Amino acid sequence: MPQQDTAVSVGFIYPDHAAEHDYPYAEKLLGGAARLPVEHIYGTDLHAVPELLDLGSPARLSEGAAQLAGHSPAAVVWACTSGSFVYGWDGAHDQVEHLSRAAGGLPASSTSFAFVRAAEALGVRTVAVAASYPDDVADLFVDFLGRGGVEVVGMSSADIVTAAEVGRLSPDDVVELIVSRDRREADALLVPDTAMRTLALIDILEQRLGKPVLTANQVTVWEGLRLAGVTPGVPGLGTLFRRKGT
C-alpha cells in the first residue's frame, strides 16, 4: 500500500500571479514537514487603496477559502500585505476573523499580522521598510506596524504601481532595492510585498546587511506554520526560520 502523507497542510490565498513560486520553494526547504498549497483570487493588481480594499474583501477571501478546502488545511493565511494593512489595525482583525469563519473556523491570519508577530518573535523593536508601493500605500503599512508596537525608523518606497511589475524584477534588482533602503539604526529590514520574489535571496540579504531581513512571503509561510503548530528550524530562509520554536 502507498504510504499516507501525514504532513500538515497550511493553505495560502494569493492574489493574482507574481511571486507565488516562493511557496513551493519554501515547501521544498521544509523537507516534508508541511505542505503549502496556494490558491488564487483575482482582482486589479494596482497598488491603490480602492483596488486593495476590493482585493481583500470578504467575498474574495471566502472564494479563496472555498478553494483551499480541498487541501484540508490546518490553518489559512491571506498572503497579501497591502490587501490586509489597507484595512487598518481593527479592520484587518475583522478581515482575519471573517476568513476564519469562511474556512470553517480554522486558525487564520494575514501577511500584515505575520510581520508584527515575526518581529515580536525576534525581539525586533525598530525597523526600516523597503516598500515597493507608492508612498500613500507604504505609509499605511508604517501606521499598521506602529499599532503592533513596531517602530519604523526609516521608510523608502519604490513607487511601483502594480504587483505584476514587482514580480518581474530580477534578483539583482530586488537585492539592490532592498539593501539600498536599510537604516543603520534599525534592528531589522522589512520588505512588505508578496509580489516580490525574495525567499531565495534572504540569506544573501542578511549577510550583506548583518541583521534580520523579514520579507512578505517568508513571514507569511512562518505565520501559517506557527498557526498549524509546526515550528521547524529551516536553513535558507533567514534568521526567522533558524530560531526553532518561535
Side-chain angles (χ1 to χ4, degrees), residues 49 101 108 110 112 114 116 122 124 131-132 145-146 170 174 176 178 184 188 191 218-219:
V49 172
R101 291 194 298 271
S110 68
S112 294
V116 172
L122 293 179
V124 166
S132 54
L145 292 173
S170 72
V174 169
E176 181 55 33
I178 294 171
R184 182 174 298 179
V191 188
Q218 173 209 34
V219 300

Side-chain angles (χ1 to χ4, degrees), residues 85-99:
F85 69 67
V86 73
Y87 280 83
W89 185 260
D90 295 331
H93 274 284
D94 292 340
Q95 182 186 58
V96 166
E97 289 174 6
H98 168 82
L99 177 56

Side-chain angles (χ1 to χ4, degrees), residues 14-206:
Y14 190 92
D16 295 286
H17 296 275
E20 66 267 30
H21 297 300
D22 272 357
Y23 293 85
Y25 178 82
E27 182 175 308
K28 182 177 180 180
L29 291 181
L30 285 164
R35 291 182 290 109
L36 308 178
V38 176
E39 294 291 351
H40 297 267
I41 58 173
Y42 298 94
T44 319
D45 75 339
L46 285 174
H47 288 148
V49 172
E51 285 77 10
L52 292 168
L53 289 170
D54 175 71
L55 190 62
S57 67
R60 293 193 187 276
L61 294 188
S62 292
E63 178 186 346
Q67 293 178 61
L68 282 172
H71 300 283
S72 301
V76 295
V77 186
W78 170 218
C80 184
T81 325
S82 55
S84 47
F85 69 67
V86 73
Y87 280 83
W89 185 260
D90 295 331
H93 274 284
D94 292 340
Q95 182 186 58
V96 166
E97 289 174 6
H98 168 82
L99 177 56
S100 176
R101 291 194 298 271
L106 292 175
S109 190
S110 68
T111 305
S112 294
F113 287 119
F115 271 110
V116 172
R117 289 169 185 143
E120 180 181 8
L122 293 179
V124 166
R125 292 292 176 266
T126 61
V127 302
V129 173
S132 54
Y133 319 121
D135 282 342
D136 62 328
V137 175
D139 286 341
L140 295 176
F141 184 53
V142 173
D143 294 342
F144 188 93
L145 292 173
R147 286 292 303 272
V150 181
E151 180 186 358
V152 177
V153 295
M155 189 278 285
S156 299
S157 56
D159 199 27
I160 301 176
V161 178
T162 69
E165 292 174 84
V166 175
R168 289 193 293 266
L169 293 172
S170 72
D172 287 344
D173 288 339
V174 169
V175 169
E176 181 55 33
L177 186 153
I178 294 171
V179 169
S180 65
R181 286 160 170 78
D182 185 35
R183 292 283 290 270
R184 182 174 298 179
E185 64 270 32
D187 295 334
L189 181 61
L190 274 54
V191 188
D193 198 341
T194 58
M196 190 178 293
R197 302 171 188 269
T198 59
L199 259 61
L201 303 173
I202 294 172
D203 280 358
I204 294 169
L205 291 164
E206 291 194 342

Side-chain angles (χ1 to χ4, degrees), residues 117-124 203 206 212-214 218 222 225-226 230-246:
R117 289 169 185 143
E120 180 181 8
L122 293 179
V124 166
D203 280 358
E206 291 194 342
V213 174
L214 299 176
Q218 173 209 34
W222 176 86
L225 294 171
R226 184 189 68 82
V230 180
T231 55
V234 183
L237 290 176
T239 302
L240 181 64
F241 274 84
R242 288 196 293 271
R243 295 174 63 88
K244 186 172 182 179
T246 59

